[in-house]
Amino acid sequence: ISSKTRDSFLSEESIGTVAPPKQGLATADNERFLRLWHEVDIQKIGFGISSCDEAETSGKKFFPYNKGGAFRRWYGNRDYVVNWENDGYEIKNFKDDKGKVRSRPQNLQYYFKPAITWSDVTSGSFSGRYAEQGFMFDIKGSSGFPDKELLPYVLGLLNSKVAQAFIKILNPTMTTQVGDMTRIPVIKADVDEITLLSKECIDEAKADWDSFETSWDFKIHPLIRCGGKQNSYIKDAFESWALECEQRFRNIKENEEKLNQKFIEIYGLTGEISPEVNEKYITVSKADLERDIRSFISYAVGCMFGRYSLDVDGLAYAGGEWNASKYASFAADKDNIIPVCDDEYFEDDIVGLFVKFVKTVYGADTLDENMKFIADALGGKGQPKEVIRNYFMNGFYTDHCKTYHKRPIYWLFDSGKKNGFKCLIYMHRYQPDTIARVRTDYVHEQQARYRTAIADLETRIVNASTSERVKLNKQLKTLNDQATEIHEYEEKIHHLADQMISIDLDDGVKVNYAKFQDVLAKIK
């Protein structure tokens, strides 16, 4: 390494002195104590807590938890909550067979304090993120605790190419340990300007993170925020969103390069490190038509179930007491059961509800153009409604499981490959009689429709011409296969309906989903 780089390490201050990194909570059983925030009743999560004492007196069960995560800079990776009810009583008393405490809560005095957090393993480059007060943290989501005023400056340094160069010298492997972090030299200069640039990056990254429904601060879908007015076009809304994303991307890139230039000058490394930032290291999203249309459809389904509302910013319902008055513009489904069929058999058919949603948001006059735009973005052949129905039948649930990290909040009741019967329910609105209602109000209805349709086809085949008969026989086979499949499914669902099973949202998706695995689609 160069003499200038060596001289940097003679600095009196380091990350260890200005932002002491700490390892946090080792639960010893993350399956037991951690949840993705969207799994549990939102009212049981304590946001913005300032200390362990406040957490204990809050009466809340779950608290935001920094756990490392994917390569992302400035803000984000806010996915997990941890059970720290009663000052972590359950975790602190979690013992093995021999009575020895297995968990290791460390550095409790730092819990809930504002911090810089990072992932300990990184394949290419270090990524630090801002965490305001309110977070606990684990070993992988290691955190540093500078003075609040200095936090943006230190974060700017850590996300700079100068710090990346120091990290590679201190530890050339893929894992950035706490000990490595403490030795990064800190030289303070141009503090106000660097603080401002870093704060702008944090704000831009937050705006990006909160644009997606996997953020607990998500307010409304961008394709509605950027243009959901009567007789407007979703195409125009997408173009506005794309411009917003591009501007945000450019702003962060420009700021990161300015920060690099500043720190290169401060550390005297001009000519040794380039300030330029490769676009692959900019961790905010650009617009993506297919992804954004799919997420719009997901938001529409959320409005159908009452998780979201066109009249309320953010979550309208994610546990607690139901309030039907929140859904004036677009009514939430009354029974929390939305059929997903290969035709519009039911009044609350998912495609029918989706058409109604698009009409409510963008108006009746532009409905046909908007439906075509949505269908074209999804790909596939046929009329727009056919393409959208095919997506709900075959693509939506896979996307939903992926978006929600294999912990789906909408559950797909699925009779099998013949598509005899499918419907969605919203986990947070589940009641012990939900399955009985699926069976009597939907499965039985669908069975009756199959019987009528089969009888009608059999009559038509008798009087049909030879060429017509081939076509009708094919339809009859499909219907018979579906009728057989739904008959077998009805027996499985009958067995579960009689049990009036309760669920506890605290247990998370994995435990609750397993109770109904015989009648639900496999999570992929």
Side-chain angles (χ1 to χ4, degrees):
I1 61 173
S2 71
S3 57
K4 286 178 180 174
T5 302
R6 272 200 306 277
D7 289 346
S8 298
F9 283 91
L10 300 174
S11 168
E12 288 181 11
E13 292 191 301
S14 66
I15 292 295
T17 60
V18 303
K22 303 292 175 185
Q23 289 191 332
L25 173 63
T27 69
D29 190 342
N30 282 350
E31 287 268 321
R32 184 187 185 111
F33 297 113
L34 297 194
R35 298 285 176 264
L36 289 164
W37 74 266
H38 60 256
E39 298 182 74
V40 302
D41 180 341
I42 197 75
Q43 295 180 324
K44 289 192 173 184
I45 303 176
F47 293 106
I49 298 290
S50 63
S51 66
C52 285
D53 288 345
E54 190 186 335
E56 187 174 8
T57 56
S58 71
K60 302 290 186 183
K61 180 167 184 173
F62 297 101
F63 300 90
Y65 193 61
N66 279 323
K67 195 183 178 300
F71 178 77
R72 185 179 172 90
R73 283 191 177 137
W74 303 111
Y75 188 98
N77 289 4
R78 293 152 178 250
D79 300 313
Y80 287 92
V81 291
V82 62
N83 173 3
W84 194 250
E85 192 173 26
N86 297 326
D87 200 34
Y89 179 84
E90 206 179 321
I91 287 178
K92 287 176 178 176
N93 291 281
F94 181 50
K95 297 171 183 171
D96 61 20
D97 298 342
K98 294 172 184 171
K100 185 183 173 187
V101 174
R102 291 181 58 198
S103 62
R104 200 168 78 251
Q106 307 167 88
N107 297 306
L108 270 70
Q109 69 273 31
Y110 289 94
Y111 289 7
F112 305 109
K113 298 285 180 267
I116 294 166
T117 185
W118 61 87
S119 316
D120 76 333
V121 176
T122 164
S123 56
S125 203
F126 178 86
S127 61
R129 292 171 295 280
Y130 167 71
E132 69 279 19
Q133 77 171 38
F135 286 81
M136 295 175 64
F137 56 102
D138 80 347
I139 289 171
K140 285 196 184 298
S142 299
S143 299
F145 295 87
D147 290 342
K148 200 172 176 182
E149 300 71 36
L150 196 58
L151 196 153
Y153 182 90
V154 177
L155 181 57
L157 168 62
L158 289 176
N159 280 338
S160 74
K161 288 174 81 173
V162 170
Q164 316 295 319
F166 292 156
I167 288 167
K168 282 193 172 69
I169 293 164
L170 292 164
N171 187 345
T173 69
M174 279 176 62
T175 304
T176 310
Q177 302 285 10
V178 165
D180 308 323
M181 296 296 297
T182 60
R183 294 184 288 163
I184 294 171
V186 175
I187 301 172
K188 291 182 207 148
D190 296 336
V191 174
D192 290 346
E193 193 178 345
I194 286 168
T195 296
L196 192 63
L197 288 168
S198 290
K199 280 182 173 176
E200 284 176 10
C201 288
I202 292 165
D203 290 344
E204 294 281 29
K206 178 174 173 17
D208 171 63
W209 183 261
D210 293 343
S211 294
F212 297 90
E213 65 178 75
T214 41
S215 165
W216 56 62
D217 287 323
F218 171 79
K219 296 286 186 283
I220 187 167
H221 197 275
L223 297 186
I224 298 176
R225 174 173 57 76
C226 292
K229 299 178 185 70
Q230 283 301 293
N231 303 321
S232 62
Y233 294 96
I234 196 168
K235 175 176 175 286
D236 296 338
F238 177 75
E239 284 174 7
S240 297
W241 163 241
L243 281 172
E244 181 187 309
C245 290
E246 185 63 32
Q247 188 59 53
R248 184 156 47 235
F249 191 93
R250 293 287 142 216
N251 287 350
I252 283 201
K253 185 174 191 293
E254 196 177 306
N255 276 15
E256 286 193 8
E257 289 178 345
K258 283 180 184 173
L259 285 165
N260 285 337
Q261 187 60 48
K262 282 278 165 200
F263 285 113
I264 287 165
E265 288 166 8
I266 289 166
Y267 286 82
L269 299 173
T270 304
E272 292 189 27
I273 296 173
S274 161
E276 286 174 27
V277 176
N278 189 318
E279 290 197 351
K280 72 177 182 180
Y281 293 123
I282 306 293
T283 53
V284 293
S285 311
K286 287 193 173 186
D288 178 309
L289 181 59
E290 188 176 351
R291 180 205 67 203
D292 295 332
I293 287 296
R294 287 176 184 229
S295 81
F296 172 77
I297 292 170
S298 174
Y299 180 73
V301 172
C303 289
M304 293 173 203
F305 279 123
R307 180 173 177 82
Y308 305 112
S309 164
L310 293 174
D311 308 307
V312 175
D313 274 351
L315 290 170
Y317 183 81
E321 203 160 315
W322 178 258
N323 180 357
S325 69
K326 288 182 176 179
Y327 309 97
S329 300
F330 183 81
D333 189 72
K334 281 194 175 69
D335 62 5
N336 187 36
I337 302 164
I338 299 178
V340 183
C341 303
D342 56 9
D343 208 340
E344 201 161 338
Y345 294 121
F346 294 93
E347 197 179 304
D348 55 351
D349 166 69
I350 199 161
V351 178
L353 290 178
F354 181 70
V355 172
K356 187 179 170 190
F357 180 80
V358 174
K359 193 174 174 181
T360 304
V361 172
Y362 298 103
D365 293 354
T366 54
L367 180 63
D368 290 346
E369 291 96 323
N370 285 332
M371 292 297 286
K372 184 177 186 312
F373 184 80
I374 290 164
D376 288 348
L378 291 172
K381 293 172 183 170
Q383 292 300 308
K385 275 173 81 169
E386 288 171 31
V387 172
I388 291 164
R389 185 173 296 283
N390 184 53
Y391 173 66
F392 276 120
M393 292 287 291
N394 301 304
F396 173 79
Y397 203 61
T398 303
D399 283 349
H400 178 65
C401 290
K402 190 176 170 187
T403 299
Y404 283 86
H405 307 295
K406 298 192 176 182
R407 298 288 184 271
I409 50 173
Y410 311 135
W411 292 358
L412 182 66
F413 285 74
D414 186 1
S415 63
K417 290 178 179 173
K418 305 294 181 187
N419 293 327
F421 178 78
K422 280 183 166 80
C423 77
L424 288 166
I425 69 159
Y426 176 28
M427 175 178 93
H428 290 64
R429 285 180 64 190
Y430 173 88
Q431 298 292 331
D433 68 343
T434 297
I435 293 182
R437 285 186 286 118
V438 169
R439 176 177 172 251
T440 54
D441 298 353
Y442 292 88
V443 173
H444 287 173
E445 282 282 314
Q446 189 71 349
Q447 284 182 296
R449 283 195 182 87
Y450 284 144
R451 284 194 291 272
T452 305
I454 287 166
D456 177 53
L457 270 178
E458 285 172 344
T459 305
R460 284 168 64 197
I461 286 166
V462 173
N463 303 312
S465 65
T466 308
S467 59
E468 182 74 4
R469 197 175 295 161
V470 171
K471 192 174 120 188
L472 293 175
N473 272 318
K474 199 175 172 186
Q475 288 176 15
L476 182 62
K477 183 181 183 320
T478 301
L479 282 172
N480 276 321
D481 287 347
Q482 290 179 318
T484 303
E485 185 179 87
I486 199 172
H487 174 73
E488 291 166 4
Y489 188 69
E490 196 278 339
E491 289 174 1
K492 288 181 190 172
I493 216 161
H494 188 175
H495 173 68
L496 284 170
D498 288 347
Q499 293 177 49
M500 298 286 281
I501 298 166
S502 295
I503 69 169
D504 184 346
L505 293 175
D506 290 0
D507 293 335
V509 170
K510 204 170 177 184
V511 168
N512 287 314
Y513 206 87
K515 295 176 182 178
F516 312 102
Q517 61 189 9
D518 289 347
V519 295
L520 294 174
K522 283 191 167 54
I523 296 174
K524 291 175 183 172

